[in-house]
Amino acid sequence: MKKRDIILLSVTATFLIFALVSVIIGFEPGKSLLKNFWEYIKFVLTIMPAVFLLIGLFNVWVKKETVIKHMGHNSGIKGYVLAFILAFAVVGGLFAALPISKQLYDKGSRLSVVMTYLGASCVCRVPMTLFEASLLGWEFTAIRFLVSLPLIVLSSIFMEKFFGKNSGIPETVVNT
């Protein structure tokens, strides 16, 4: 076993022992932690089949040439706009956004476009935007978009320059 696997196994065992002891002795914070853990597990198990289906369909339906043409190194601003459009429509949060971003990158999308997609999927999903606008008003949401979207693009371009192919990061790290 690798050192990382041993650490993961140790942390998991420690959590399970803590949860079991908490239930036995009636330690409320531990019981609450266990309850929240199971609620999260149920949520993940309900959303993951749809995420896997979405990723599989994306992998099969979207050709590498299409991604390279519209989101590759020669796509210009169009790649960023498409990243925003794709991010607005993402359902499932980062559970879906991370695997889709991996697929985009593997199919030849520019790293800054992938980072833009990830940033935008965290900031501007349609359900989250509607919820925010209903609570804080459309003016606030519009201002947040006008500030956030350019900053997402600028930071993604910076990250591409910093973490690009020639950054010294081993290929195995970039492709995992």
Side-chain angles (χ1 to χ4, degrees):
M1 260 209 269
K2 294 180 183 176
K3 183 178 180 180
R4 184 183 80 199
D5 295 336
I6 293 170
I7 292 171
L8 181 61
L9 187 62
S10 300
V11 169
T12 304
T14 303
F15 171 77
L16 291 174
I17 291 168
F18 173 76
L20 180 65
V21 169
S22 295
V23 169
I24 291 171
I25 66 171
F27 184 61
E28 286 303 317
K31 288 168 57 176
S32 176
L33 178 73
L34 186 63
K35 180 181 177 226
N36 290 339
F37 173 75
W38 284 118
E39 292 297 320
Y40 183 73
I41 291 293
K42 286 191 280 187
F43 169 73
V44 169
L45 291 176
T46 58
I47 200 166
M48 289 313 284
V51 169
F52 287 142
L53 180 65
L54 177 68
I55 293 163
L57 291 174
F58 182 83
N59 193 26
V60 172
W61 285 350
V62 180
K63 293 182 172 66
K64 184 174 186 170
E65 297 78 24
T66 305
V67 173
I68 291 172
K69 178 181 176 186
H70 296 291
M71 300 177 94
H73 288 279
N74 296 326
S75 63
I77 191 119
K78 177 175 65 171
Y80 298 105
V81 171
L82 288 173
F84 282 123
I85 292 170
L86 185 60
F88 289 146
V90 76
V91 177
L94 286 177
F95 290 117
L98 287 170
I100 289 173
S101 65
K102 172 78 166 104
Q103 290 290 323
L104 285 171
Y105 187 73
D106 288 347
K107 288 182 181 256
S109 183
R110 187 175 176 175
L111 182 59
S112 61
V113 172
V114 173
M115 293 294 189
T116 298
Y117 166 72
L118 278 174
S121 66
C122 292
V123 172
C124 4
R125 291 187 312 270
V126 170
M128 184 178 77
T129 301
L130 294 174
F131 181 71
E132 175 187 289
S134 69
L135 288 178
L136 301 173
W138 286 105
E139 297 84 11
F140 176 84
T141 303
I143 291 169
R144 188 179 67 79
F145 269 43
L146 290 173
V147 171
S148 299
L149 299 184
L151 290 175
I152 289 171
V153 173
L154 290 173
S155 64
S156 67
I157 291 170
F158 171 75
M159 285 188 283
E160 180 182 62
K161 300 274 189 230
F162 190 75
F163 293 113
K165 289 275 187 194
N166 298 324
S167 66
I169 299 173
E171 193 64 27
T172 55
V173 173
V174 173
N175 287 330
T176 55

